[in-house]
Amino acid sequence: MTDSGLAPLPASDRPDTAARLRDALLAASFTADGLLDLLGAAAYAALARSETVPALRATRGDTPLETLVRLFLLQQPVPHARVASVLPVEEALAAGWLARVGGDEVAATVDVRPYGGPGGEDWFIVSDLGCAVGGAGGIGQHDEGVVLGVGGASTTLAGITVRAPVTSALDLGTGSGIQALHAAQHATRVTATDLNPRALHITALTLALSGAPAAELREGSLFEPVRDGETFDLIVSNPPFVISPRARLTYRDGGMGGDDLCRSLVQQAGERLNEGGFAQFLGNWQHVAGEDWQDRLRSWVPRGCDAWIVQREVQDVTQYAELWLRDAGDHRGDPAEYQARYDAWLDEFEARKVKSVGFGWITLRRTGSAEPVITVEEWPHPVEQPLGETIRAHFDRLDYLREHDDAALLDSHFKLVVEVVQEQVGLPGAEDPEHVVLRQHRGMRRATKVDTVGAGFAGVCDGTLSAGRILDAIAQLVGEDPVLLRDRTPAQIRLLVEQGFLEPVR
């Protein structure tokens, strides 16, 4: 693949230049917080929608920060003298970060977007011109090798990733290097791969400009660049998961039929994980007529892995086709060509008997258990990011429940997690509620129905008494046989533990 039609990239082998450029950007407060202060919330949010007019109006002055926003985020030519007062301009020109245009002006050769790390770090994501904010905006229809910057998918994956310290991490399909940048904060060694060599070059720029350790960069598709016998503690991927009639755009189209790319990625990940290691992906999957979508996804999970798969959204095939046609800017082109591409998409879905397409998260964990647990669920409701710790805790609870039969469960002590509230629903004036709901205000923000015994049990779980003793007390209060209550309640306790309402006191 060539980079025809795309701007030449800055040199990636000049770390001193990247360091001096980074110092200059920070000195001018060209950071996520600095942008918000300068632009205001409305203009800042408009940038994420690829709307630049509010930001242009907010940067009509000549302060260093306004100069940098116009140069790197808005791609406006800026007088050489003004840039020279902010950046080491001659060095940036020589390294290819800037180019001379017009008379005495310079322009950026790449987008550079400030990006706040989870620990307050000031990072910078490099991407192709026009791709730092809001997605491709149609650029992809002309340049198949384009590399996008920060988008909703990349920040979602970064938020759900388990951030335990690890020895080795693999960012598969790195793009502009966002996941590799996050992984470098808690992994001793980071390997980043991509089919697109331009993406690997840009990843090197992102890491250098962000002051992060370099990653080992390897070119190739999926797990092809991974050496025989090589395994990792963490694998993350925001792959080109779009289900499309053909692979037009490298950054989004997988080039395999249907959802085969996501399936292959998941199935091959298990053998690449170390014991206890996590693999976390975003993906699309088909909802096929006559087939249970949950069973379809369960069949993807490799042997020896626990899995938690969460479907966040479902679109019918027309919505899905329109979304990605607009992503490529096809709606702005020739109407006949747009219709032909739309038809091709629907023909592909019809041939595969696809009625809709799901989107969500897939997390695998390599386990030594003889009985792996696979959870596939739909949860379209709001959650609290970051979710990495919530996901790690979910798998810890699976281990606990596997290791404790009902008798051991009744001997255990539990605590109700913080910020769980109880809601009672029923007719006004009724003596008893029709049902009781426990609701989380953190993490997944789940809600689950419980009976009065379950609600009473959860309410007194403070770690002091064992589950069995609590049930004996409840049985005495409600006049129920304690043996029968002990027999029927463990299933409800297991559900409350599995969903994160109760945590074991170890």
Side-chain angles (χ1 to χ4, degrees):
M1 190 195 71
T2 67
D3 289 340
S4 175
L6 293 169
L9 293 172
S12 61
D13 58 352
R14 301 190 184 183
D16 292 345
T17 297
R20 281 188 281 274
L21 190 57
R22 170 180 171 79
D23 290 343
L25 298 178
L26 293 176
S29 297
F30 188 63
T31 64
D33 289 341
L35 281 185
L36 185 58
D37 290 342
L38 171 67
L39 302 179
Y44 190 77
L47 272 180
R49 303 190 300 269
S50 297
E51 296 291 348
T52 59
V53 172
L56 285 167
R57 292 174 60 86
T59 56
R60 289 177 288 192
D62 59 0
T63 67
L65 181 54
E66 288 170 299
T67 297
L68 294 176
V69 171
R70 293 180 73 85
L71 185 67
F72 285 117
L73 277 184
L74 304 177
Q75 280 88 61
Q76 301 295 305
V78 178
H80 180 284
R82 184 182 297 178
V83 178
S85 67
V86 184
L87 299 176
V89 65
E90 297 305 325
E91 189 174 3
L93 283 164
W97 290 92
L98 304 175
R100 294 186 182 274
V101 294
D104 192 30
E105 293 183 317
V106 298
T109 60
V110 288
D111 273 332
V112 176
R113 176 178 175 177
Y115 179 75
E121 303 92 346
D122 289 315
W123 293 337
F124 300 98
I125 308 301
V126 180
S127 61
D128 272 311
L129 292 173
C131 296
V133 292
I139 193 171
Q141 65 179 329
H142 305 295
D143 301 306
E144 295 186 0
V146 70
V147 179
L148 269 61
V150 181
S154 53
T155 55
T156 294
L157 179 59
I160 68 171
T161 300
V162 176
R163 295 296 173 195
V166 295
T167 300
S168 57
L170 171 65
D171 177 13
L172 193 151
T174 186
S176 56
I178 299 164
Q179 309 309 323
L181 180 57
H182 279 277
Q185 311 310 303
H186 63 103
T188 304
R189 184 178 70 258
V190 177
T191 302
T193 71
D194 207 289
L195 179 65
N196 183 359
R198 188 176 182 88
L200 297 175
H201 191 132
I202 284 180
T203 290
L205 297 175
T206 289
L207 295 172
L209 196 59
S210 297
E216 182 180 357
L217 305 177
R218 303 182 193 171
E219 183 180 343
S221 176
L222 298 180
F223 287 100
E224 287 176 3
V226 177
R227 303 184 184 103
D228 288 344
E230 189 175 19
T231 55
F232 301 88
D233 301 312
L234 174 67
I235 300 172
V236 292
S237 184
N238 177 19
F241 54 68
V242 175
I243 301 170
S244 55
R246 66 183 184 89
R248 285 175 60 203
L249 306 175
T250 305
Y251 69 85
R252 69 168 207 195
D253 299 327
M256 296 185 183
D259 52 17
D260 283 354
L261 182 135
C262 288
R263 176 185 55 79
S264 296
L265 185 63
V266 174
Q267 289 181 335
Q268 295 174 25
E271 63 184 1
R272 299 299 186 181
L273 281 176
N274 292 325
E275 188 72 23
F278 285 92
Q280 299 186 263
F281 317 108
L282 301 184
N284 274 159
W285 41 80
Q286 300 171 148
H287 287 224
V288 180
E291 181 179 341
D292 185 285
W293 69 270
Q294 292 174 312
D295 288 343
R296 180 184 188 83
L297 290 176
R298 286 189 187 96
S299 73
W300 291 6
V301 177
R303 294 182 62 183
C305 288
D306 292 326
W308 186 16
I309 302 174
V310 181
Q311 180 167 274
R312 296 287 291 159
E313 182 181 359
V314 181
Q315 291 182 307
D316 67 52
V317 292
T318 58
Q319 291 175 311
Y320 188 81
E322 290 163 14
L323 169 68
W324 295 110
L325 287 166
R326 288 181 175 274
D327 171 80
D330 292 324
H331 62 300
R332 301 193 189 114
D334 177 52
E337 187 173 357
Y338 174 82
Q339 181 175 339
R341 285 179 170 158
Y342 201 151
D343 270 333
W345 225 302
L346 297 186
D347 285 345
E348 178 81 3
F349 284 134
E350 185 176 335
R352 295 178 177 275
K353 300 182 179 180
V354 177
K355 302 301 182 183
S356 55
V357 178
F359 166 80
W361 320 322
I362 299 174
T363 299
L364 308 177
R365 185 191 59 169
R366 189 77 184 175
T367 177
S369 173
E371 298 181 2
V373 177
I374 300 174
T375 302
V376 183
E377 63 176 320
E378 185 165 20
W379 189 254
H381 310 293
V383 299
E384 181 190 44
Q385 284 276 34
L387 273 172
E389 180 59 24
T390 297
I391 290 174
R392 185 202 60 75
H394 168 85
F395 287 93
D396 284 349
R397 292 194 299 272
L398 291 186
D399 284 341
Y400 176 86
L401 292 172
R402 248 192 311 243
E403 295 164 0
H404 289 72
D405 60 16
D406 286 356
L409 203 68
L410 293 175
D411 285 338
S412 301
H413 296 238
F414 300 94
K415 289 181 66 174
L416 186 68
V417 301
V418 297
E419 296 194 40
V420 171
V421 298
Q422 176 178 304
E423 300 173 357
Q424 297 186 169
V425 180
L427 295 174
E431 183 175 344
D432 296 314
E434 292 180 18
H435 59 259
V436 179
V437 174
L438 299 182
R439 187 179 301 277
Q440 301 167 349
H441 284 275
R442 305 296 300 271
M444 291 292 287
R445 294 177 174 166
R446 293 187 184 278
T448 190
K449 288 183 182 180
V450 292
D451 59 22
T452 53
V453 170
F457 178 86
V460 298
C461 278
D462 61 2
T464 304
L465 299 175
S466 69
R469 290 191 62 186
I470 293 174
L471 291 180
D472 291 343
I474 292 175
Q476 188 173 2
L477 284 173
V478 300
E480 188 168 341
D481 185 334
V483 175
L484 294 178
L485 194 61
R486 278 173 171 257
D487 187 55
R488 69 177 176 86
T489 307
Q492 193 167 190
I493 296 174
R494 286 185 180 277
L495 180 64
L496 292 175
V497 172
E498 180 184 344
Q499 294 191 344
F501 289 90
L502 296 176
E503 57 184 15
V505 178
R506 308 200 187 220

